[in-house]
Amino acid sequence: MNDLSWIDQALSAARPQVVGALMRYFRDLDTAEEAFQEACLRALKNWPQKGPPRDPAAWLIFVGRNAGVDDIRKRGRQQALPDEETLSDLDDTEPSMAERLDNADYRDDVLRLLFICCHPDLPATQQIAMALRIVSGLTVPEIARAFLVSEAAMEQRITRAKRKVAAAGVEFETPSAVDRVERIATVTAMVYLLFNEGYSASGGEAHIREPLCDEAIRLGYLLLRMYPGEPELMGLVALMLFQHARVPARLDAEGEIVLLDEQDRSLWRGSLMAEAAALIEKAARHNRPGTYQLQAAIAYEHAKAKQAVDTDWRAIDQYYQMLETLQPSPVITLNRAVAVSKHAGATDALQLIEPLSGSLEGYFHFHGVRGALLLELGRSREARAAFEKAISCANTTAEASHIRRHLDRLQKGAEGMPA
Amino acid sequence: MLYALLCYNNEAAVCGLSKEDDEAMMSRVRAAEEKIVAKSKFGPRLRLMPTTAATFVKAGQDPLVIDGPFAETKEQLLGFWIVDCASLEDAIEAGKHLAREREFGGVEVRPISAYVPPAEAT
């Protein structure tokens, strides 16, 4: 077979481990990245003839170290050097190299790499851009396109982020168990943020931004393979897979968002949903519910319903109650109210959201949901006021036009009534 | 003679494929299957979910269930069963029956993502 795409796949799959290990070795992100590039070039030269090495990551780390050391020597920064002969004798060294770098090293290296991308001094968009550039290896033009900014602007954003991270200093000690848990949580949040960057797009942007979802899912798998017993990571990947499975049904011909209730469920990708369901079931065995698992469980309830009317809203209400306990937030209560309205009625739901009017004053969905509930109860005058409020808080034209349809319907209803 | 053809590859690389690349890979697989069926009969064909969706039941009287990592590199795949279960819990229960029968190794419980029964082979 003449197709060399397997090399590309192997290189990008090994990238997080290799750059992570090289960064620990050189203690410098730029040197690590350059060394990785050099190792990739040598792989492209070597692998087509010899086939892939037994452990591509170990091969790349070894060759990358050589290249980096070489480079540093050329720049005259370092005198002490390992013997060139032993370094280049790859056939002997590769197996021992692979043995020395056990899973625990890999894990810490990759997690450290991801974690520095999520440095708290960096704004969310810079965190995501760093992760895409450094961990996923996307090119700057690719990232710029996904974020709908110019290449120069993205280049500058990443350079600035790298400088900030370098100035902050990177912790190279083996993280303690507590540190590790914190790092996993930070990184998990960044991965989901990245997914949402891609997922929330509509109109002409949707197609351009979908690769962000693919990348987020890839990073999710990476974390899950490193920590196979973490139920929240299973939940994160399941949640992303459920949402990703609905992509073909999410937008109409004009590129506008189609609400879950109105989606053509035959377009949902069943194989992704089946895998997500398997993950959720696996996670549930741990009896350690978390926010990603619960959100995935809600997505699973929607996936199980053949049609919108078959949805088990009572179960969804319960999951939202558990979410409220774990992570109290008015937005979660608002979502719960929608589930309550479907199984207990609009009166109960309205009662639930009235106390939120202060905290969600400027929130589009609050006024939209409230308007729909009032409308259902026949309180048209109040419903109209809520919808008008919603339009004034709308973030996109699609949101505004969705509400305007309700208003038009109200208008028609009013015209039909005797004066 | 019956033969099992077992597919091995780097899961991280295959899981990272985009929808388009995955479909392209699967259509190459289907084309290869066409060549096989010209000469041989097909039994069931199936695609497994990634190991991240799997559970491992360790051999022993009181089998331990773990999320991974799975078999040691020094262990080889010796055989497999396909069971139709209502839940993961039932599948693990089935795996435990088999795991109790042995002292070493174990039984990996891996969900199947796509299954083509023998009758549908063209």
Side-chain angles (χ1 to χ4, degrees), chain A residues 75-380:
Chain A
R75 280 184 272 164
R77 270 204 240 144
Q78 193 176 313
Q79 286 92 36
L81 269 176
D83 181 22
E84 182 69 29
E85 280 308 304
T86 53
L87 271 178
S88 52
D89 193 0
L90 266 183
D91 289 340
D92 284 349
T93 325
E94 189 209 318
S96 63
M97 180 79 197
E99 274 157 34
R100 242 182 303 135
L101 268 177
D102 62 14
N103 216 12
D105 285 329
Y106 276 159
R107 281 184 358 173
D108 286 338
D109 286 344
V110 176
L111 188 59
R112 182 182 296 114
L113 190 66
L114 275 159
F115 187 68
I116 66 159
C117 297
C118 313
H119 198 281
D121 290 353
L122 299 178
T125 53
Q126 282 188 20
Q127 292 184 0
I128 298 170
M130 281 276 278
L132 287 173
R133 177 70 207 100
I134 290 160
V135 188
S136 305
L138 261 60
T139 62
V140 172
E142 279 172 326
I143 304 170
R145 210 176 313 134
F147 279 93
L148 314 167
V149 300
S150 75
E151 279 177 38
M154 186 48 78
E155 180 84 63
Q156 202 183 26
R157 205 182 280 180
I158 292 173
T159 312
R160 215 179 293 144
K162 274 187 181 174
R163 213 178 295 142
K164 214 177 243 177
V165 167
V170 179
E171 181 70 64
F172 283 99
E173 304 303 308
T174 302
S176 71
V178 176
D179 287 342
R180 205 171 277 138
V181 170
E182 272 173 22
R183 287 184 182 191
I184 294 174
T186 309
V187 168
T188 305
M190 184 272 289
V191 170
Y192 193 50
L193 207 62
L194 169 61
F195 182 83
N196 274 319
E197 275 292 325
Y199 192 70
S200 59
S202 67
E205 301 170 9
H207 178 67
I208 311 170
R209 311 198 79 186
E210 209 183 306
L212 296 179
C213 295
D214 290 337
E215 260 333 296
I217 290 172
R218 247 159 72 111
L219 291 175
Y221 275 124
L222 173 72
L223 285 165
L224 189 54
R225 268 194 304 272
M226 295 196 301
Y227 302 96
E230 273 303 320
E232 270 297 81
L233 287 177
M234 300 174 205
L236 169 74
V237 174
L239 176 60
M240 294 193 293
L241 289 176
F242 274 128
Q243 288 180 298
H244 206 49
R246 293 190 208 127
V247 162
R250 247 184 99 241
L251 301 178
D252 63 17
E254 280 76 46
E256 297 307 338
I257 289 173
V258 182
L259 296 178
L260 195 57
D261 281 4
E262 290 153 18
Q263 288 178 9
D264 174 357
R265 298 183 178 216
S266 66
L267 297 176
W268 289 357
R269 292 165 64 192
S271 61
L272 291 186
M273 288 193 160
E275 192 185 329
L279 278 170
I280 269 301
E281 222 184 334
K282 187 177 165 179
R285 300 190 71 251
H286 287 263
N287 269 324
R288 273 166 52 204
T291 53
Y292 294 108
Q293 289 172 75
L294 287 167
Q295 291 176 80
I298 291 167
Y300 187 25
E301 287 303 328
H302 290 299
K304 279 194 282 190
K306 293 251 178 327
Q307 299 165 44
V309 289
D310 302 330
T311 313
D312 184 350
W313 289 105
R314 219 174 278 273
I316 292 177
D317 178 12
Q318 273 164 6
Y319 289 131
Y320 273 123
Q321 284 182 48
M322 288 167 83
L323 266 176
E324 272 181 321
T325 319
L326 280 177
Q327 195 186 60
S329 131
V331 173
I332 289 171
T333 307
L334 180 64
N335 280 315
R336 196 187 134 211
V338 175
V340 167
S341 79
K342 304 272 186 175
H343 76 82
T347 314
D348 287 14
L350 202 58
Q351 222 162 41
L352 198 61
I353 66 166
E354 288 302 359
L356 310 177
S357 58
S359 47
L360 295 181
E361 173 61 26
Y363 190 56
F364 164 78
H365 290 289
F366 171 74
H367 299 290
V369 168
R370 191 165 167 270
L373 292 173
L374 289 165
L375 189 60
E376 211 181 309
L377 294 171
R379 290 154 67 175
S380 328

